[in-house]
Amino acid sequence: MNERVEILGVNVDSLTMAESVKFIENLIDSGKPSIVATANAEMLMRATQDEELKDILNAAALVVPDGAGTVWAARHLGCEMPERVAGYDLAQELMKIAPEKSYKIFLFGSAPGVADKAKLKAEELYPGIEIVGTRNGFFSPEDEPEIVEKIKETKPDILFAALGVPKQEKWLAKYKDELNVPVSIGVGGTFDVMAGVMKRAPLWMQRAKLEWLFRAMLQPKRAGRLAALPKFVLKVHSSKKKLEK
Ligand code: UDP
């Protein structure tokens, strides 16, 4: 069992990137369908008001600390959290080892054409990678059986789902057993970045823990979502105080 830190009711695993990759390799070897989630502050805040999301996260095989906010919260609560394990970086690490491990990958989500572009990018970056299928993330409930069939047919070892939070987590939880894919991961804007539709923050900003600011600058529509961050800090702080009483 990994060390887990409870942050606002969600158990987050205390692991490095290398340990997370190893853990996922073991999940794939076990063959049992499982969900991996990447928890940033926004997701953890949402889970405080969305019981279904919270239950899905607590039932996941692995919840990695995606984002400076999650790492800060764990440490503030007095627990070990070695480093940030960003969803985008985790997806890249898994794609990097996929050719040598013969992992087959399915890319599900984002606007039409984006997952195909991400596939081309992956083939350029990781020669020999087997992306066995793609499907955009805009669909109606009637399309879902066909999407499930398409994923099942291609028998991937890893399913990356980029539908945004909490849609991706809920969709994966709903279809986990039927899909029978060893590892499914919600990866948010990963395909957008790979396809060049969205930019990742420059390294200096990532290191200065300012990636959230960069995203808000590029997508002003998201700026409202930033309000979740100070609320998150306050909520974690008061949960710590309660613990101390
Ligand atoms: N998306 C999708 N289907 C939807 C809503 C969103 O495929 O019904 C995609 C969207 O195109 C984007 C991705 O979900 O590529 C993640 O969006 P966002 O960056 O908002 O993710 P979050 O920050 O919530 O992880």
Side-chain angles (χ1 to χ4, degrees):
M1 261 309 256
N2 302 318
E3 283 267 331
R4 292 194 135 181
V5 180
E6 191 189 316
I7 305 172
L8 304 183
V10 174
N11 292 311
V12 180
D13 289 275
S14 174
L15 290 175
T16 62
M17 173 63 81
E19 289 165 341
S20 304
V21 170
K22 196 89 220 126
F23 191 89
I24 291 171
E25 286 178 34
N26 290 336
L27 288 177
I28 296 174
D29 286 344
S30 87
K32 242 178 49 199
S34 49
I35 289 177
V36 172
T38 70
N40 60 16
E42 217 181 313
M43 187 194 269
L44 293 171
M45 270 306 275
R46 193 179 265 269
T48 63
Q49 285 161 8
D50 183 338
E51 204 66 28
E52 185 190 350
L53 176 64
K54 185 163 135 181
D55 291 346
I56 291 171
L57 296 177
N58 283 330
L62 180 69
V63 180
V64 298
D66 178 351
T70 308
V71 174
W72 168 83
R75 291 180 183 163
H76 188 69
L77 294 169
C79 303
E80 289 263 327
M81 190 58 83
E83 62 184 0
R84 172 181 181 202
V85 181
Y88 176 85
D89 296 328
L90 180 63
Q92 302 309 307
E93 292 299 321
L94 292 170
M95 287 195 245
K96 200 183 288 171
I97 60 166
E100 154 208 346
K101 298 269 178 189
S102 306
Y103 293 155
K104 292 192 275 178
I105 294 174
F106 195 105
L107 306 182
F108 171 40
S110 297
V114 173
D116 296 312
K117 278 198 189 144
K119 174 180 190 276
L120 289 177
K121 187 73 189 172
E123 288 164 350
E124 179 193 319
L125 292 173
Y126 314 112
I129 193 167
E130 262 190 282
I131 309 280
V132 291
T134 61
R135 172 62 164 87
N136 75 67
F138 291 85
F139 52 87
S140 57
E142 303 84 74
D143 300 324
E144 293 187 27
E146 175 217 309
I147 298 175
V148 170
E149 250 345 278
K150 187 172 175 187
I151 297 171
K152 273 167 70 180
E153 254 171 38
T154 55
K155 295 198 170 56
D157 299 290
I158 305 173
L159 167 62
F160 289 120
L163 308 173
V165 178
K167 193 171 175 185
Q168 58 200 21
E169 286 72 25
K170 291 184 180 177
W171 200 90
L172 291 175
K174 181 172 174 196
Y175 291 111
K176 181 181 86 149
D177 292 326
E178 194 179 343
L179 288 168
N180 204 26
V181 174
V183 171
S184 296
I185 315 181
V187 290
T190 293
F191 306 161
D192 289 328
V193 175
M194 291 183 75
V197 178
M198 260 291 295
K199 276 214 184 81
R200 188 102 199 265
L203 262 185
W204 73 265
M205 275 186 109
Q206 290 185 40
R207 291 199 182 113
K209 304 187 175 23
L210 290 175
E211 188 154 23
W212 54 274
L213 179 62
F214 181 83
R215 294 184 89 189
M217 275 163 24
L218 280 198
Q219 290 176 287
K221 270 194 292 183
R222 298 180 71 109
R225 289 161 60 170
L226 282 183
L229 286 171
K231 283 190 199 145
F232 175 74
V233 169
L234 289 175
K235 242 185 150 69
V236 171
H237 191 64
S238 59
S239 74
K240 182 184 178 191
K241 283 202 159 148
K242 267 191 218 136
L243 279 178
E244 285 166 353
K245 271 183 197 157

